[in-house]
Amino acid sequence: MNPSAVFLAGRQNIGSEVEISMIEKQRKELQLLIGELKDRDKELNEMVAVHQRQLLSWEEDRQKVLTLEERCSKLEGELHKRTEIIRSLTKKVKTLESNQMECQTALQKTQLQFQEMAQKATHASLLSEDLEVGFIL
């Protein structure tokens, strides 16, 4: 064989070896990248799962808040009604207290008049007895 042909064949072998080496490097790089992508995919799936749990939790909390708002509204309405009832009853109590005071004042006045009339009756009775005794004598 011709030395230049041997040289070319040697060069082709070296070129093939370089290509094979490059291909193997690229294959390893691809395998590493695929492994990395798998890791990233797993991380993303975990993040999605966490996010979905957070969304579910948020929705549950939102429903609880809505329920509490509704309950609060009902309780405020009930509180308003009871406040009105208390105001009405307070007015009635004040009116009754005022009436009681007026009745007590009227009773005291009547008792005073009764005492005065009883004193006058006693005085008249005494005068009548004195007059009868004076007549008899």
Side-chain angles (χ1 to χ4, degrees), residues 38-53:
K38 285 181 181 178
D39 289 345
R40 300 284 177 181
D41 188 51
K42 185 179 176 184
E43 286 175 18
L44 286 173
N45 286 335
E46 289 172 359
M47 287 174 60
V48 166
V50 167
H51 183 66
Q52 286 174 337
R53 285 192 301 270

Side-chain angles (χ1 to χ4, degrees), residues 51-63:
H51 183 66
Q52 286 174 337
R53 285 192 301 270
Q54 287 175 337
L55 282 175
L56 182 62
S57 177
W58 178 83
E59 184 60 33
E60 288 172 357
D61 290 347
R62 184 176 164 274
Q63 288 300 321

Side-chain angles (χ1 to χ4, degrees), residues 35-98:
E36 243 183 83
L37 285 174
K38 285 181 181 178
D39 289 345
R40 300 284 177 181
D41 188 51
K42 185 179 176 184
E43 286 175 18
L44 286 173
N45 286 335
E46 289 172 359
M47 287 174 60
V48 166
V50 167
H51 183 66
Q52 286 174 337
R53 285 192 301 270
Q54 287 175 337
L55 282 175
L56 182 62
S57 177
W58 178 83
E59 184 60 33
E60 288 172 357
D61 290 347
R62 184 176 164 274
Q63 288 300 321
K64 286 177 187 176
V65 166
L66 291 174
T67 302
L68 289 174
E69 283 177 348
E70 186 177 315
R71 185 170 175 223
C72 183
S73 178
K74 286 179 183 177
L75 289 173
E76 283 177 347
E78 190 175 322
L79 178 64
H80 181 70
K81 287 177 187 176
R82 290 185 182 190
T83 300
E84 288 302 314
I85 291 170
I86 289 171
R87 283 185 185 144
S88 173
L89 291 174
T90 302
K91 283 181 183 179
K92 286 181 182 179
V93 166
K94 286 181 180 179
T95 302
L96 290 172
E97 286 175 344
S98 177

Side-chain angles (χ1 to χ4, degrees), residues 117-128:
M117 289 179 82
Q119 287 176 353
K120 286 180 184 179
T122 303
H123 184 64
S125 177
L126 290 174
L127 278 175
S128 176

